Amino acid sequence: IDFKTTMASVEFPSIFLNASGVNCMTVAEMDEMINAACTGGVVTKSATPQQREGNPQPRYYQLEHGSINSMGLPNAGFPYYLDYVTKEHAKPTILSVAGLQMSDNIELLHKIQASEYTGLTELNLSCPNVIGKPQVAYDFEETDALLAEIFSFYTKPLGVKLPPYFDLVHFDQMAAILNKYPLTHINTVNSVGNGLWIDIDTEKVVIKPKQGFGGLGGAMILPTALANVRAFRQRLNPSIKIIGTGGVTSGKDVFMHLLCGADMVSVGTALLHEGVGIFQRLTDELAAIMAEKGYTSIEDFRGKVQDF
Ligand SMILES: O=C(O)c1[nH]c(=O)[nH]c(=O)c1I
């Protein structure tokens, strides 16, 4: 089964990527993603202008059906990741960037525009865990203004990382904004912001930052992720591709993301728990489902989820 795919004229040898933040903080982790079987490439940890320690620990906790995190954007700093993606690698890279305010985002994209890097960049508009900073992508006017400013100078391939939306009118409003710009892709969903979990023995929350509030990931967010992939596929120009993220733990989940219209699929929580071997498993499980159904290509069913 041929799982390679092309996005913004970049050929990915597989549809599978890591969710930004997982297995992508260091050169060693990013190399591991690229060298692993059945990966399409690597998405870097979202980079800020300077290196950041992030929030105090514990800041990640595994739940029965997923995860909760309030990492706080720890990263090695923009130069580290720009240096990595500008080097030659066996598979494509996606450079994720996250400014802490609008001027950071503009500054980072000017630097990428002026750099030697010609690959894809992903602007993270949805980090839920920077204390005191709202998610840009929940402010439609700010998102529109930011993209207008960026596309007044930026000419390289650019996508955006979106939070989940939960209101059909919000899908309409956000898609109307995104359709105005020559985006290569959207990556949806980021973690479901500001969940909370409690250890009943200690009667304490399970992560230290933000009084225990953190982004939810893993199996429990799959229905939300599928809805966001489908909603945006229905509304966005076909030229804007979709990386489906959220809740993927099996080939069945990958199949559902693809039915909703995803072009690529990224894995976060399950990758953290299982390691990069997960991509071979997901590939085998997806191939088995396709064989059972008589599909020989993802194009046979991509985006073809049926209404009841
Ligand atoms: O807390 C984080 O570092 C983080 N955590 C997430 O769940 N999503 C994000 O986009 C980020 I930048």
Side-chain angles (χ1 to χ4, degrees), residues 8 29 36 95 98 105 129 141 149 177 180 185 192 201 223 227 236 249 255 262 290:
E29 288 183 338
L95 173 59
N105 285 314
N129 302 320
E141 288 70 31
E149 168 72 23
I177 292 168
K180 289 165 46 179
H185 73 281
V192 174
D201 297 336
L236 291 178
T249 65
F255 186 71
M290 288 172 63

Side-chain angles (χ1 to χ4, degrees), residues 229-247:
V229 170
R230 186 179 194 203
F232 280 110
R233 188 63 288 158
Q234 290 173 323
R235 291 166 173 78
L236 291 178
N237 298 335
S239 58
I240 302 178
K241 301 298 181 189
I242 298 181
I243 300 176
T245 303

Side-chain angles (χ1 to χ4, degrees), residues 45-46 69-74 124 126-129 190-191 215:
K45 170 65 184 178
S46 294
N69 92 81
S70 183
M71 309 303 284
L73 243 179
N124 184 353
S126 46
C127 180
N129 302 320
N190 207 319
S191 55

Side-chain angles (χ1 to χ4, degrees), residues 60-73:
Y60 177 89
Y61 187 86
Q62 185 174 328
L63 301 170
E64 192 177 353
H65 300 294
S67 64
I68 185 168
N69 92 81
S70 183
M71 309 303 284
L73 243 179

Side-chain angles (χ1 to χ4, degrees), residues 181-260:
Y181 302 103
L183 292 159
T184 56
H185 73 281
I186 66 167
N187 187 332
T188 180
V189 294
N190 207 319
S191 55
V192 174
N194 295 303
L196 185 72
W197 192 252
I198 296 163
D199 175 344
I200 60 166
D201 297 336
T202 62
E203 300 175 19
K204 285 166 63 176
V205 299
V206 295
I207 54 175
K208 183 167 183 174
K210 292 173 53 176
Q211 296 185 294
F213 288 74
L216 304 177
M220 65 179 140
I221 73 162
L222 181 59
T224 292
L226 295 176
N228 277 262
V229 170
R230 186 179 194 203
F232 280 110
R233 188 63 288 158
Q234 290 173 323
R235 291 166 173 78
L236 291 178
N237 298 335
S239 58
I240 302 178
K241 301 298 181 189
I242 298 181
I243 300 176
T245 303
V248 172
T249 65
S250 73
K252 290 177 181 173
D253 307 335
V254 177
F255 186 71
M256 287 193 274
H257 267 274
L258 296 170
L259 274 175
C260 290

